[in-house]
Structures are given as C-alpha cells and as structure tokens.
Amino acid sequence: MDANSFKISIVQYDIDKKSEDNNFKTIQKLLDQSKHSPNLILLPEMFNTGFSSKPGLIASSMKGKAVKWMQNIAGKMNAVVAGSVVINENSKYFNRLISVFPNGQLEWYNKRHLFRMGGEDEFYTQGEERKIITINDWKFALFVCYDLRFPVWSRNMNDYDVALFAANWPSARNSVWETLLKARAIENQSYVLGINRVGMDELGEYSGNSMVVDFKGNVMDSLGNGVAGLVETTLLKGHLNDFRKAFPAWMDADKFSISIK
C-alpha cells in the first residue's frame, strides 16, 4: 500500500426536502456501514435540504444546525466532512461547499457557476474565489455541480491532486455527468470525485452515479441505479505522481485568465 494513501467515503442517498434531521439520520446510518476509516467523507450539493431556487426557505448560517452537525461527525469519525449548504451571509445567499476538519476548522468554496436553467443565478450570489484545501498532504480542489461544465475554472494549475464535484445532477443528463467527470480527470491529470444524490423531487429524478475517476479517466468505483449507499475507495499518491512524471502533459497546458464580474 502507498505510504501516502487516502481513503474516501462518498455518501449517496435520497435527500428529504422536508426534514434536515431525517437527512442527518440517513447519512449516519450509511456511515455506520463503512468498511474503512475514511480520511474524507463527501456529501452531495445542499445535502441537508435538497436543491432549491428559493434560498430564503432553507438558508442557514456558518453557526447553524448543518455546520454543527458536520463538526460533530468530523470529530467523532476523525475525518474531514465536506458538503454543500445554503448560507445566508450579509443578506446574500451562497451555495457553499463547506469542509469541516476534525478539530472544528472550517474551509469553504462558494459556487462560481450558478445554474441559470434552474433560476439559481437570480437568487444566489456568485463565488469569486477558487479554493484548494490540504488534507494529509493531499490537495483538493472544491467545485459544485454546474461548475463541472466549465474546464477553464477547474483547470489544474499543478496545484491539486484531486478535484471534487458535489452535485444534485439529474438522471436525464447522466451521460453528461459521467463524460465530464472523465474529461476533467484526463485533462487535469488528477483524481476526480463526483458526489450525487438519488431519488426524486419536483425538479426531476436523480440516479446517483457517484463515482471516483482516476487520472487516466478510468472509473475506479461508482454507485448508480438510484441506490443509496457508499462509494469507498483508496487513492494512491504514488500512482498519481508516477503517471504525471511519465506523461507530463500538464507542462504544455495553455494558460487562461478568469474575469470576475
């Protein structure tokens, strides 16, 4: 086993849009089935409420119930817990991917690309900063759902090992989800983690298909067919570094600039 291995647990489930507590209980039951001690636990976009274009009905704060619950799980399982929560801050609503460390430390990324087809751009504030976090010497780039369609924003500038995308991605575009996750992995020569939900709501059906993709675009593990469960995989830093050294396409990557409105 690689001395610098890293264990991932992706939690895929049907989000109850009526009860935060039910979602917390569902996640805990699934984590109780874990077959390894994860370094990182990943939850879907708006994991406590489900996706909504009406943030005023579901918004929380950084000291609210969802974040406190994440801190409790992180401490109890000695793992970083990451998931998206709607946050009200200074009268602005953010779709915020929050990472909670076992010691209670918080890191976060505000979703850059707001899903206009669902009205997200009308009610939420766009994020302006790219976010890389470090866990056990591994570097993770944080993204949310619709960000997956935009390769310039997710470009690896030789500054991350893993890109993670937390989503509520509908079954109708499942082939797009899988294709883009593989594309982001190949072009960035990094592991890619896709975290999705299952079930149905007023917006459509979700088949899950959460997956771990390696730096060559191979699906290492996945869970689809609308099934609740865990995707648990061990990432190997040595394999990643060996490939990037043997096939250094990253050295010839084009440079881009992002204009923030």
Side-chain angles (χ1 to χ4, degrees):
M1 180 66 70
D2 191 323
N4 199 357
S5 61
F6 195 97
K7 295 180 179 179
I8 301 289
S9 287
I10 295 175
V11 189
Q12 176 174 292
Y13 59 99
D14 185 354
I15 300 175
D16 186 339
K17 300 190 80 167
K18 296 180 180 180
S19 174
E20 272 190 303
D21 289 335
N22 283 350
N23 293 320
F24 298 154
K25 290 176 183 177
T26 297
I27 296 166
Q28 185 61 69
K29 287 180 180 178
L30 290 170
L31 288 175
D32 289 342
Q33 300 172 19
S34 177
K35 296 179 181 179
H36 69 193
S37 299
N39 302 111
L40 176 61
I41 297 166
L42 298 169
L43 308 174
E45 180 182 24
M46 301 189 190
F47 77 89
N48 59 323
T49 61
F51 183 86
S52 175
S53 58
K54 299 179 180 178
L57 300 178
I58 60 173
S60 183
S61 75
M62 294 300 284
K63 295 182 179 180
K65 189 174 184 178
V67 174
K68 288 181 179 178
W69 178 85
M70 294 173 77
Q71 289 175 317
N72 179 59
I73 295 296
K76 183 168 64 174
M77 297 195 68
N78 192 32
V80 176
V81 179
S84 156
V85 177
V86 177
I87 296 294
N88 182 352
E89 195 168 81
N90 298 322
S91 299
K92 293 181 179 180
Y93 297 108
F94 297 92
N95 185 346
R96 179 169 291 176
L97 180 53
I98 302 171
S99 300
V100 180
F101 288 72
N103 64 1
Q105 173 189 345
L106 302 177
E107 300 279 358
W108 61 85
Y109 161 74
N110 292 324
K111 186 177 181 181
R112 160 74 173 168
H113 296 92
L114 303 176
F115 190 59
R116 69 176 60 249
M117 286 71 80
E120 189 178 15
D121 62 318
E122 297 181 30
F123 303 103
Y124 290 81
T125 298
Q126 183 183 53
E128 297 184 353
E129 294 183 4
R130 195 165 168 272
K131 185 68 176 184
I132 309 290
I133 64 171
T134 302
I135 310 171
N136 298 354
D137 295 323
W138 286 73
K139 294 187 181 299
F140 292 80
L142 308 184
F143 304 103
V144 179
C145 203
Y146 193 41
D147 286 330
L148 180 60
R149 287 182 175 266
F150 302 95
V152 176
W153 185 246
S154 56
R155 167 58 62 85
N156 191 349
M157 302 176 190
N158 200 27
D159 58 356
Y160 68 75
D161 307 302
V162 186
L164 66 89
F165 294 86
N168 276 201
W169 197 284
S171 302
R173 293 188 288 278
N174 188 63
S175 63
V176 177
W177 167 254
E178 185 169 351
T179 299
L180 291 179
L181 288 171
K182 291 179 179 180
R184 298 294 85 85
I186 293 167
E187 71 195 8
N188 291 305
Q189 295 188 286
S190 71
Y191 288 105
V192 168
L193 312 175
I195 306 96
N196 198 18
R197 63 161 293 182
V198 297
M200 294 188 69
D201 64 13
E202 71 280 4
L203 300 174
E205 182 180 10
Y206 308 87
S207 60
N209 206 26
S210 297
M211 65 178 66
V212 178
V213 184
D214 75 8
F215 36 82
K216 296 180 181 180
N218 300 309
V219 177
M220 298 172 61
D221 201 357
S222 66
L223 182 63
N225 301 317
V227 179
L230 300 175
V231 178
E232 296 194 309
T233 304
T234 299
L235 309 182
L236 302 175
K237 178 73 76 67
H239 289 187
L240 171 63
N241 290 341
D242 288 347
F243 176 70
R244 297 186 86 232
K245 182 178 180 180
F247 194 79
W250 58 273
M251 296 180 68
D252 300 310
D254 300 308
K255 294 182 179 180
F256 297 95
S257 61
I258 298 290
S259 176
I260 302 293
K261 294 181 181 179

